[in-house]
Amino acid sequence: MIPEFNPVVLIFASYTLGVLAVLFLKSFNLYHHFENKNYISDKLTHQLGVVKFGWLVKNTWMGMFSKHLKYEGKAKTETLEILKSNMNDSDVGHLFGFITMLIATFILLLFGIDWWYFFLLILLNIIFNLYLVFFQQYNKRRITRILKRQKINDSKE
């Protein structure tokens, strides 16, 4: 008999492990292998509803967890570069959170959790980790396009 695990606690624990993974990767100079990756295209991002999910993140209680991923005012190059760097950290953290939670969920299945609980954990992991990875990547691509336009405009002046 295994104890019941609170899914919300597991999601937060997975992201905490993701943050630790980012620190580990940076400490051992391995972070560059994971930053600025794109796992899905903009088209698939829209088809999966990731952009609509992003609206929920920005406009509901979920937005309070990502205050460092916002900016106000005109999009200055330095501000966008810092924002993109923060998004990289969040992206990699959620990726490792997703992987950690996925492994933990299958281990819990081996120890006999109910199927409904297994599917609940998988669903929550997709929503609160994988979709956030895709959303960060989408936003980073948008920032990259803005930065390229700014560089072109700066070179014309």
Side-chain angles (χ1 to χ4, degrees):
M1 177 119 180
I2 61 166
E4 288 295 318
F5 292 97
N6 183 329
V8 175
V9 171
L10 288 175
I11 292 293
F12 278 106
S14 73
Y15 185 67
T16 302
L17 290 173
V19 169
L20 293 174
V22 168
L23 294 173
F24 175 82
L25 291 170
K26 285 184 174 184
S27 297
F28 290 96
N29 200 24
L30 299 169
Y31 185 74
H32 64 278
H33 293 293
F34 297 96
E35 66 182 337
N36 295 319
K37 298 291 183 192
N38 287 302
Y39 303 112
I40 62 174
S41 67
D42 281 350
K43 182 179 179 183
L44 189 54
T45 300
H46 284 281
Q47 288 173 339
L48 292 174
V50 173
V51 176
K52 290 178 182 174
F53 174 75
W55 183 90
L56 285 173
V57 170
K58 291 185 291 189
N59 296 299
T60 64
W61 58 270
M62 291 187 290
M64 72 182 212
F65 295 109
S66 57
K67 291 187 188 285
H68 67 288
L69 299 177
K70 296 178 182 174
Y71 73 91
E72 295 199 14
K74 189 174 181 199
K76 298 177 186 171
T77 301
E78 183 181 339
T79 306
L80 290 175
E81 303 248 349
I82 291 169
L83 183 62
K84 187 175 175 186
S85 175
N86 289 340
M87 284 182 178
N88 270 324
D89 291 350
S90 182
D91 172 13
V92 174
H94 279 291
L95 176 64
F96 277 90
F98 174 75
I99 293 167
T100 302
M101 183 70 179
L102 191 63
I103 292 168
T105 302
F106 278 99
I107 290 171
L108 289 172
L109 184 63
L110 291 175
F111 281 97
I113 63 169
D114 292 332
W115 280 100
W116 71 267
Y117 192 67
F118 170 78
F119 288 118
L120 173 67
L121 292 176
I122 294 292
L123 178 66
L124 291 174
N125 193 23
I126 289 169
I127 292 170
F128 291 106
N129 278 318
L130 189 60
Y131 260 51
L132 289 171
V133 169
F134 295 155
F135 184 57
Q136 297 299 343
Q137 290 175 355
Y138 172 75
N139 283 331
K140 287 187 304 184
R141 290 190 300 268
R142 290 175 57 209
I143 289 172
T144 299
R145 287 191 292 270
I146 292 168
L147 289 171
K148 283 181 183 177
R149 275 185 288 198
Q150 285 181 344
K151 285 181 184 178
I152 290 170
N153 290 339
D154 289 345
S155 68
K156 288 180 181 178
E157 292 176 4

